[in-house]
Amino acid sequence: DLDESIADILDAAFDKHAPVIVAYVDADGAPHVSFRGTVQGHGTDTIAMWIRDAGGGLLRAIETNPQLALLYRDDTRTQYEFTGRAQRADGTEERSEIYDRSPVFERGLDPARRGVALIIEVDSVRGGAPGSEIHQRRAPAGS
């Protein structure tokens, strides 16, 4: 389970001027990284984010390779690295919740809600504040 304090850190990342970096590999095997301002805690083992461009590269990439890596770091040197598997959240209620929990500035860039909500099932998280690091990994299926 993700500690609630990690979700709080992700929820405040945009306001702290520390957007999360997301990395993925496209269908041609090319790596991509981008800053994402809508990454947020979503559940005990999931992270969510709003993707404004419904036809963008990240959404095309997860159709063939749902693996993502995410990196958070702020000015206190608190840092978290996440790995996980992304999928679209097409349910109306969940989609609305993710959009509504995104920062006001980010929502203003997609006022018509044309984007897509993503849920990332976290497989590992590593990091923390200096001197208090954690390393958690999801148990393999069937164990």
Side-chain angles (χ1 to χ4, degrees), residues 13 17 78 92 94 128:
H17 306 285
T78 296
T92 304
E94 191 168 43

Side-chain angles (χ1 to χ4, degrees), residues 86-102:
Q87 63 182 359
R88 293 171 66 118
D90 291 327
T92 304
E93 188 174 313
E94 191 168 43
R95 186 177 182 278
S96 289
E97 176 189 341
I98 293 166
Y99 176 88
D100 292 342
R101 290 189 61 229
S102 295

Side-chain angles (χ1 to χ4, degrees), residues 35-70:
F35 290 101
R36 300 292 173 154
T38 64
V39 176
Q40 56 196 258
H42 185 67
T44 60
D45 63 350
T46 56
I47 295 171
M49 70 177 132
W50 184 259
I51 308 297
R52 291 189 311 265
D53 184 358
L58 190 149
L59 291 172
R60 287 193 312 273
I62 67 167
E63 291 174 7
T64 56
N65 182 2
Q67 298 290 325
L68 298 181
L70 298 91

Side-chain angles (χ1 to χ4, degrees), residues 2-143:
L2 291 176
D3 187 286
E4 192 173 314
S5 65
I6 295 173
D8 292 342
I9 286 170
L10 292 175
D11 292 350
F14 183 85
D15 292 334
K16 289 182 76 172
H17 306 285
V20 175
I21 298 170
V22 176
Y24 64 93
V25 176
D26 69 20
D28 295 325
H32 298 269
V33 295
S34 60
F35 290 101
R36 300 292 173 154
T38 64
V39 176
Q40 56 196 258
H42 185 67
T44 60
D45 63 350
T46 56
I47 295 171
M49 70 177 132
W50 184 259
I51 308 297
R52 291 189 311 265
D53 184 358
L58 190 149
L59 291 172
R60 287 193 312 273
I62 67 167
E63 291 174 7
T64 56
N65 182 2
Q67 298 290 325
L68 298 181
L70 298 91
L71 175 65
Y72 168 87
R73 183 176 169 116
D74 64 25
D75 60 359
T76 69
R77 294 184 23 223
T78 296
Q79 176 175 307
Y80 288 99
E81 302 169 39
F82 303 89
T83 63
R85 293 159 283 120
Q87 63 182 359
R88 293 171 66 118
D90 291 327
T92 304
E93 188 174 313
E94 191 168 43
R95 186 177 182 278
S96 289
E97 176 189 341
I98 293 166
Y99 176 88
D100 292 342
R101 290 189 61 229
S102 295
V104 172
F105 177 84
E106 290 284 341
R107 291 192 313 253
L109 297 173
D110 186 12
R113 298 178 183 230
R114 292 189 175 124
V116 174
L118 280 188
I119 304 290
I120 299 101
E121 193 169 343
V122 176
D123 291 323
S124 69
V125 59
R126 182 173 142 169
S132 63
E133 296 191 11
I134 64 163
H135 189 163
Q136 297 175 322
R137 179 170 291 286
R138 181 184 299 276
S143 61

